[in-house]
Amino acid sequence: MPSLSPPRQGGNKPLTRRSPLPNSLSSSSPALGPALSSGVPTQTISKVTIESEADTRLRSSDQPQAFGGKKRALSGGGSAGKLGRREWIILGGILVVGWWVRMYKISRPSSVVFDEVHFGGFAMKYIKRKFFMDVHPPLAKLLITLSAWVGGFDGNFDFKDIGKDYLEPGVPYVTMRFLPALLGLALIPLTFLTLISLRLSLATAILGSLLITFENGLITQSRLILLDSYLVFFTGLTTFFWVRFSLHDSEGRAFTATWWKYLFLTGLSLGAVVSCKWVGLFTIAMVGVGTIRQLWLLLGNLKVTPRQYIRHFAARTLCLIVVPATFYALMFKIHFWVLNESGDGDGFMSSEFQHTLQGHGMEDTYADVGFGSKISIRHVHTQGGYLHSHAHPYPGGSQQQQITLYPHRDENNVWRIVNSSSPDGPNAYPWDDLPFEYVLTGTKVRLEHVTTGKRLHSHDVRPPVSEVDFQNEVSGYGFPGFAGDANDDFIVEIAHKTRGKRDRQARHRLKTLRSQFRLRHALTGCYLFSHKVKLPEWGFEQQEVTCNKNPTWENSLWFIETNNHAQLPFDAEKVNYNRPSFFEKFFELNAVMWRTNAGLTERHAYDSRPQSWPVLRRGINFWVKDHRQVYLIGNPVVWWSSTLAIALYLGMRALFVLREKRGFRDLHQPKIAFYDEVCTFCIIGWALHYLPFFLMQRQLFLHHYFPALYFAVLLFCTVFDYLTSTLRPRTRLQVGAVVLILAVWSWNHWSPLTYAGAWSKGQCEKGKWLRTWDFSCNDFHDNLGMYKGVTAVPSQKVQLDDGLGADVLTTTMVEEAPEPIHNAFEAADPPSEEKTVAPVGPQNEVQMQESTVAVPLGDISEAPIQEDTRAPVGVDAGAPAVTEKGEDQGGWHGGAEDDAGSPNGDVGVKVEEGKAPIGAKVEVVEMGLDEEQKDLVEEALRADEDI
């Protein structure tokens, strides 16, 4: 351990201090060139300034330098990055081991596992070319689809439920799992080559690649149809290319063919990693930090002219910014080209975007809107639904006809706009025969529903869901022969901003697809309004429409999509949606992805926070069936040793800083400086892939740590290389073998959770080294011999008389049933029997099976559970009066003597006849006994005592 005592006189000196030049340097130092050429004796030049190591590396191009500073020769005797025959043989042997570890029984489990629900489902939609939405960029999903297409997948399997069988429908799931497993295998040689390029020893490179080989978490992720294998592979690929480029750049080989090759490949792989997941932005940040450091050092190199510096800057801008951005945009170009048909993701995009999809376009429509026009009105914000009505009443409130927002085209979306300036006129006018008259801003109008004949109506009645004072109900009201009343009147307020092309006329009179307007209720002053709040089942889960007295601007804006009027000639002006360009679609889609990704804040049964990842506090339950289990958990030896290396390096670095204050120059020693630079690179990569997660409030899981884990393993290898640098090569191999044996034993010990293998309950309990490891040991057999005689329960659905299906024989749902990661873009299936039923927004209905212990049918309670189907209150209904009323803080809300049947009592509690409900006071009338009765009682008691 270094000492903090001040150095003795004549000890370590700063490298910038003037000191006599050794004779051995007098003939080779560039500083002596002019003196020697002038014939001055060497002895007269007694002192020179010895430059710091960084300045020497930048000023001298004659001495090649490595990535970490001091150049280290390879064991094979080759130059940087060139492996000898022995290295290639060793790497080949490691790949054979890695192939067996990654591909072992990859066909198991033979049913849907965890997020294969989502990503397999995306492949199905890609093959059917149906547009969908997801929070991740498309590259990894496109590669999954490519593997499915190669395997012959026809897109007729929906991946909807965890545990759904692959074998019977013939899904090529092994082919789909093979590609991520292959990329997981490719990470092994990338680790080996990266460690060699970092100038570490061959023994260290072998150790690092084998630690990646036997890491259980990486194995589990790479054997399933998930995105993380693609992400980690491209992260490792980017790291390797960047290290190779930095090596050539530091050795003074700028603008050579090899230099350009590695710089371009770095940018290409950066585009790939960010096209898999946005976590790849952290990898871009890592390369950006290294680029800034390189440019800063070049700025201080006096040999680099301004023109050369501009070339360096331009080359890095081109390859590290333009190339990744182009690659990223190209992936979305392919995404749009494949998904060219209308699908369940349409509702999340703008109306202009939707009409670029096949099956969602429309014919040109008349531009001018007049009284008597039959129009369809769409909402500008939320998901652009249509103002809609159908012949169903509200169950409460006024019990008048429902007004909703419906996301699909339907005949119930058609309204006739009429003039209400003469309320005393007849109940109907022949609008098709009257002269055409424009609808100007400030005009009082009425909207008549063409199908049912009801008029758009509002009054001082609370809406069914947003029951607040500033929201009024909107309904359909009227009957044959009724001319209507003043509650049917709305005033048109046209917004200054127009849609699509600029149209000055659309700012003053209603024009189809151009004017944006608000409808203000003439009597109450509230505005026609909608928000992302769904009605219950009685409203077919359509979006709520209200009249809001204090609305947000966006949620009260409407526009007319279709328009038809009998008085308009055929050659009258017609309009249609402006077709957005690729970049308009590109930026719109990324904006929707960003907002939705930030909104994934719901809790999950197996989510975790970043502080628990380095210590492997808990994993994720992926799949449980047939007394087997897939549980994502890392190799404790790999995780904890890498975390220990991080703590050790940070502690030693802090110690060196303290020692520098006492006059020591540890970091100026070539060996320590070399390892410090490599460790700094690894620790920056680890920190940039780990620390940003602390700023996120969305759902987070253990697998988000995998890119950071990769850099932690590289750091552990660097620390191992330093600690064993003074040992003989044979001894170093022996120390590495000990670490490797522990890692292999740990991999084998938890391999039943990785490969869905056989495991006994006793072995499982012994494997719970931490109490927070929550894999279910009760799902395994008591002993391994029971697996040989057990026939697997078929996964197809069997209809039983009890209505529970075959799953009741094998599955028990626990209280915290885990689910796959929530995908905010996955829409629920609308009820098939109701034409106007359509869900608003995505729903995740997938439930994970956590236990396969059979439960008797009699234990299942058949008592109905009363469910609150009310939708959450929207943004505009977030007044304290609403939120305080709607939030239940728990506990008893009534008095001790509240009547059980009162509205505030325990509604729905079943009271058995002859028994008092729990908590109720029962008064028993005291009964008295006469003297004769008392004598009879005493005689009975004495007789009892005699017996």
Side-chain angles (χ1 to χ4, degrees):
M1 179 66 68
S3 172
L4 287 177
S5 302
R8 298 190 302 270
Q9 186 69 22
N12 295 334
K13 301 177 182 180
L15 294 180
T16 57
R17 182 177 179 178
R18 296 182 182 274
S19 58
L21 181 69
N23 291 334
S24 60
L25 297 178
S26 61
S27 60
S28 61
S29 175
L32 300 181
L36 293 175
S37 62
S38 62
V40 180
T42 304
Q43 289 79 2
T44 61
I45 306 175
S46 59
K47 293 183 180 181
V48 296
T49 301
I50 301 179
E51 298 176 316
S52 67
E53 183 182 355
D55 291 336
T56 302
R57 183 170 69 249
L58 289 173
R59 296 179 187 276
S60 176
S61 60
D62 298 332
Q63 299 295 330
Q65 299 294 327
F67 176 85
K70 180 181 176 182
K71 185 173 181 178
R72 298 165 62 85
L74 295 176
S75 60
S79 61
K82 293 184 179 180
L83 303 183
R85 181 180 178 183
R86 182 178 65 162
E87 284 80 8
W88 282 115
I89 294 175
I90 293 173
L91 182 57
I94 294 174
L95 279 175
V96 171
V97 175
W99 176 276
W100 182 81
V101 170
R102 289 295 192 276
M103 305 297 175
Y104 174 73
K105 292 189 177 180
I106 195 172
S107 60
R108 191 171 65 191
S110 61
S111 56
V112 180
V113 178
F114 197 55
D115 267 1
E116 290 184 342
V117 167
H118 296 309
F119 304 122
F122 294 150
M124 176 265 294
K125 294 173 183 177
Y126 268 123
I127 290 177
K128 291 190 173 182
R129 312 193 73 170
K130 300 293 185 180
F131 184 79
F132 66 90
M133 288 297 304
D134 183 43
V135 295
H136 301 300
L139 175 58
K141 298 191 290 289
L142 287 170
L143 292 175
I144 291 174
T145 305
L146 177 63
S147 62
W149 179 77
V150 171
F153 181 49
D154 56 6
N156 291 325
F157 184 83
D158 57 10
F159 296 87
K160 187 176 181 181
D161 302 311
I162 292 177
K164 192 171 184 178
D165 184 50
Y166 284 137
L167 298 179
E168 182 180 352
V171 180
Y173 72 101
V174 175
T175 306
M176 298 175 70
R177 290 177 179 175
F178 178 78
L179 183 55
L182 192 63
L183 296 182
L185 174 66
L187 186 66
I188 297 171
L190 278 178
T191 306
F192 183 91
L193 296 174
T194 301
L195 292 171
I196 290 294
S197 299
L198 288 172
R199 302 295 189 174
L200 302 180
S201 66
L202 178 61
T204 301
I206 296 173
L207 176 62
S209 58
L210 288 176
L211 289 180
I212 295 295
T213 301
F214 292 101
E215 209 297 296
N216 296 64
L218 293 175
I219 297 171
T220 304
Q221 287 292 115
S222 65
R223 290 166 47 85
L224 301 172
I225 309 172
L226 304 175
L227 303 187
D228 295 275
S229 181
Y230 299 90
L231 174 69
V232 178
F233 166 75
F234 285 117
T235 301
L237 187 66
T238 303
T239 304
F240 170 69
F241 286 146
W242 175 247
V243 169
R244 296 298 302 157
F245 165 75
S246 301
L247 187 65
H248 284 75
D249 188 69
S250 65
E251 291 177 348
R253 306 178 193 173
F255 305 109
T256 62
T258 305
W259 185 89
W260 276 109
K261 178 184 72 173
Y262 282 117
L263 181 60
F264 176 79
L265 290 176
T266 300
L268 204 61
S269 57
L270 279 176
V273 69
V274 77
S275 297
C276 291
K277 274 188 172 184
W278 277 348
V279 176
L281 292 171
F282 304 153
T283 309
I284 293 179
M286 179 194 71
V287 174
V289 170
T291 302
I292 293 173
R293 178 180 182 270
Q294 290 177 354
L295 293 175
W296 178 255
L297 293 177
L298 287 170
L299 188 63
N301 189 350
L302 300 181
K303 285 188 176 183
V304 177
T305 65
R307 184 173 181 176
Q308 290 176 328
Y309 187 84
I310 293 175
R311 289 183 64 194
H312 276 279
F313 184 87
R316 287 165 171 80
T317 301
L318 173 64
C319 293
L320 301 181
I321 297 179
V322 177
V323 170
T326 303
F327 186 92
Y328 182 76
L330 180 62
M331 294 301 102
F332 280 89
K333 185 72 173 180
I334 300 174
H335 180 77
F336 293 146
W337 174 73
V338 176
L339 301 179
N340 63 344
E341 297 184 8
S342 178
D344 57 11
D346 297 3
F348 295 94
M349 310 308 298
S350 67
S351 303
E352 288 79 4
F353 189 107
Q354 293 178 25
H355 283 76
T356 63
L357 303 173
Q358 295 180 10
H360 216 301
M362 71 175 190
E363 298 180 356
D364 294 347
T365 185
Y366 289 109
D368 295 324
V369 179
F371 293 117
S373 292
K374 294 181 179 179
I375 59 177
S376 62
I377 303 175
R378 297 197 70 172
H379 197 229
V380 171
H381 205 219
T382 60
Q383 297 174 4
Y386 294 88
L387 186 65
H388 178 91
S389 185
H390 42 241
H392 295 274
Y394 291 114
S398 66
Q399 297 185 351
Q400 295 174 5
Q401 186 167 295
Q402 298 176 14
I403 303 293
T404 64
L405 209 66
Y406 183 59
H408 305 295
R409 293 178 183 173
D410 189 85
E411 60 184 6
N412 286 326
N413 301 336
V414 181
W415 301 80
R416 185 190 293 272
I417 183 169
V418 300
N419 192 348
S420 65
S421 299
S422 302
D424 297 332
N427 55 12
Y429 285 92
W431 295 106
D432 294 342
D433 300 330
L434 294 177
F436 186 87
E437 183 180 356
Y438 295 120
V439 180
L440 306 178
T441 184
T443 304
K444 188 185 297 184
V445 300
R446 291 180 180 176
L447 294 176
E448 298 178 351
H449 193 239
V450 174
T451 304
T452 62
K454 306 290 185 179
R455 295 180 181 89
L456 190 70
H457 184 91
S458 184
H459 41 217
D460 192 16
V461 176
R462 301 288 77 76
V465 175
S466 302
E467 302 179 26
V468 289
D469 292 337
F470 57 88
Q471 297 263 35
N472 288 345
E473 180 190 77
V474 175
S475 62
Y477 180 66
F479 48 87
F482 178 63
D485 57 28
N487 283 326
D488 301 337
D489 297 340
F490 289 84
I491 298 174
V492 177
E493 297 181 357
I494 301 179
H496 183 73
K497 181 180 179 182
T498 61
R499 296 176 60 85
K501 297 180 180 180
R502 294 183 179 180
D503 189 342
R504 293 185 178 181
Q505 293 180 344
R507 301 175 182 175
H508 308 289
R509 60 183 174 90
L510 281 183
K511 297 195 71 174
T512 309
L513 295 175
R514 298 293 179 262
S515 300
Q516 294 185 156
F517 62 93
R518 304 206 297 174
L519 291 176
R520 176 167 56 88
H521 194 244
L523 289 185
T524 62
C526 59
Y527 287 86
L528 191 66
F529 170 87
S530 185
H531 49 175
K532 291 183 178 180
V533 172
K534 294 192 300 182
L535 297 174
E537 292 183 1
W538 53 258
F540 309 104
E541 297 185 349
Q542 296 175 14
Q543 202 164 315
E544 183 187 40
V545 175
T546 66
C547 196
N548 196 325
K549 298 177 183 178
N550 187 27
T552 57
W553 176 261
E554 296 83 0
N555 284 348
S556 61
L557 281 178
W558 306 82
F559 71 96
I560 297 174
E561 182 182 77
T562 60
N563 170 36
N564 188 22
H565 196 288
Q567 294 295 327
L568 291 173
F570 180 78
D571 57 351
E573 181 187 2
K574 294 184 178 181
V575 293
N576 208 325
Y577 282 102
N578 293 328
R579 190 177 185 87
S581 65
F582 162 73
F583 285 104
E584 289 174 333
K585 295 171 61 178
F586 170 78
F587 288 118
E588 179 183 347
L589 178 56
N590 278 267
V592 173
M593 290 165 56
W594 179 269
R595 290 194 301 266
T596 309
N597 193 25
L600 297 178
T601 57
E602 298 179 2
R603 292 303 307 273
H604 187 278
Y606 284 92
D607 63 3
S608 56
R609 297 308 300 170
Q611 59 267 22
S612 67
W613 299 341
V615 296
L616 197 60
R617 187 174 182 270
R618 71 179 308 204
I620 308 173
N621 193 356
F622 274 10
W623 178 90
V624 178
K625 194 174 183 181
D626 301 333
H627 300 283
R628 299 176 186 268
Q629 187 172 172
V630 176
Y631 185 91
L632 179 68
I633 189 170
N635 188 320
V637 173
V638 177
W639 285 61
W640 293 341
S641 60
S642 61
T643 302
L644 180 62
I646 293 171
L648 181 62
Y649 169 70
L650 293 177
M652 291 301 298
R653 195 62 167 79
L655 180 61
F656 287 150
V657 172
L658 292 176
R659 281 171 54 84
E660 188 174 8
K661 293 297 183 180
R662 302 292 295 171
F664 290 93
R665 296 295 182 264
D666 299 305
L667 296 176
H668 292 272
Q669 298 178 18
K671 178 180 177 181
I672 295 181
F674 163 74
Y675 283 107
D676 177 68
E677 188 169 353
V678 178
C679 287
T680 300
F681 167 73
C682 297
I683 202 71
I684 289 176
W686 171 82
L688 289 176
H689 286 83
Y690 172 60
L691 298 181
F693 286 108
F694 284 92
L695 305 177
M696 300 182 186
Q697 300 301 320
R698 58 151 291 172
Q699 286 178 349
L700 295 174
F701 297 85
L702 180 66
H703 58 74
H704 286 107
Y705 186 69
F706 284 153
L709 174 67
Y710 180 73
F711 289 98
V713 173
L714 296 182
L715 179 64
F716 169 78
C717 294
T718 307
V719 173
F720 169 83
D721 197 85
Y722 171 73
L723 295 178
T724 60
S725 59
T726 58
L727 302 178
R728 297 178 180 179
R730 182 186 298 271
T731 307
R732 172 182 279 182
L733 284 173
Q734 293 172 350
V735 175
V738 173
V739 177
L740 181 60
I741 290 173
L742 292 176
V744 173
W745 176 88
S746 179
W747 160 80
N748 180 72
H749 187 66
W750 284 278
S751 60
L753 298 176
T754 302
Y755 301 102
W759 218 19
S760 67
K761 293 181 180 179
Q763 292 174 327
C764 177
E765 293 293 344
K766 293 180 180 178
K768 283 191 174 183
W769 285 8
L770 298 180
R771 290 182 298 177
T772 52
W773 290 358
D774 46 2
F775 42 85
S776 177
C777 293
N778 290 329
D779 287 301
F780 296 103
H781 280 303
D782 293 332
N783 57 76
L784 298 180
M786 298 177 67
Y787 285 93
K788 299 180 181 179
V790 175
T791 304
V793 179
S795 60
Q796 63 268 21
K797 294 183 179 180
V798 179
Q799 298 296 332
L800 299 181
D801 295 337
D802 55 15
L804 297 176
D807 291 339
V808 73
L809 300 177
T810 59
T811 303
T812 299
M813 302 302 294
V814 297
E815 182 178 359
E816 292 186 349
E819 300 176 355
I821 300 174
H822 178 68
N823 177 14
F825 295 117
E826 185 172 337
D829 295 329
S832 57
E833 297 182 0
E834 179 61 39
K835 183 176 182 181
T836 60
V837 172
V840 178
Q843 289 182 345
N844 183 6
E845 299 179 352
V846 180
Q847 300 292 330
M848 171 170 292
Q849 302 174 352
E850 185 176 67
S851 177
T852 56
V853 179
V855 173
L857 297 179
D859 294 344
I860 301 178
S861 176
E862 297 182 358
I865 300 176
Q866 187 173 0
E867 181 180 1
D868 185 6
T869 57
R870 288 175 47 181
V873 179
V875 175
D876 297 284
V882 182
T883 56
E884 291 176 2
K885 181 188 300 183
E887 183 176 1
D888 188 358
Q889 301 294 337
W892 172 249
H893 292 242
E897 299 181 4
D898 285 350
D899 185 10
S902 65
N904 295 330
D906 292 332
V907 180
V909 177
K910 184 176 180 181
V911 180
E912 298 183 10
E913 184 177 357
K915 294 185 179 180
I918 299 175
K921 288 187 175 182
V922 181
E923 296 183 359
V924 180
V925 181
E926 185 175 351
M927 299 179 62
L929 301 177
D930 55 16
E931 295 297 328
E932 183 178 359
Q933 291 173 335
K934 290 181 181 180
D935 295 337
L936 293 175
V937 170
E938 291 178 356
E939 291 179 4
L941 291 175
R942 286 195 297 269
D944 183 69
E945 291 176 356
D946 295 336
I947 295 174

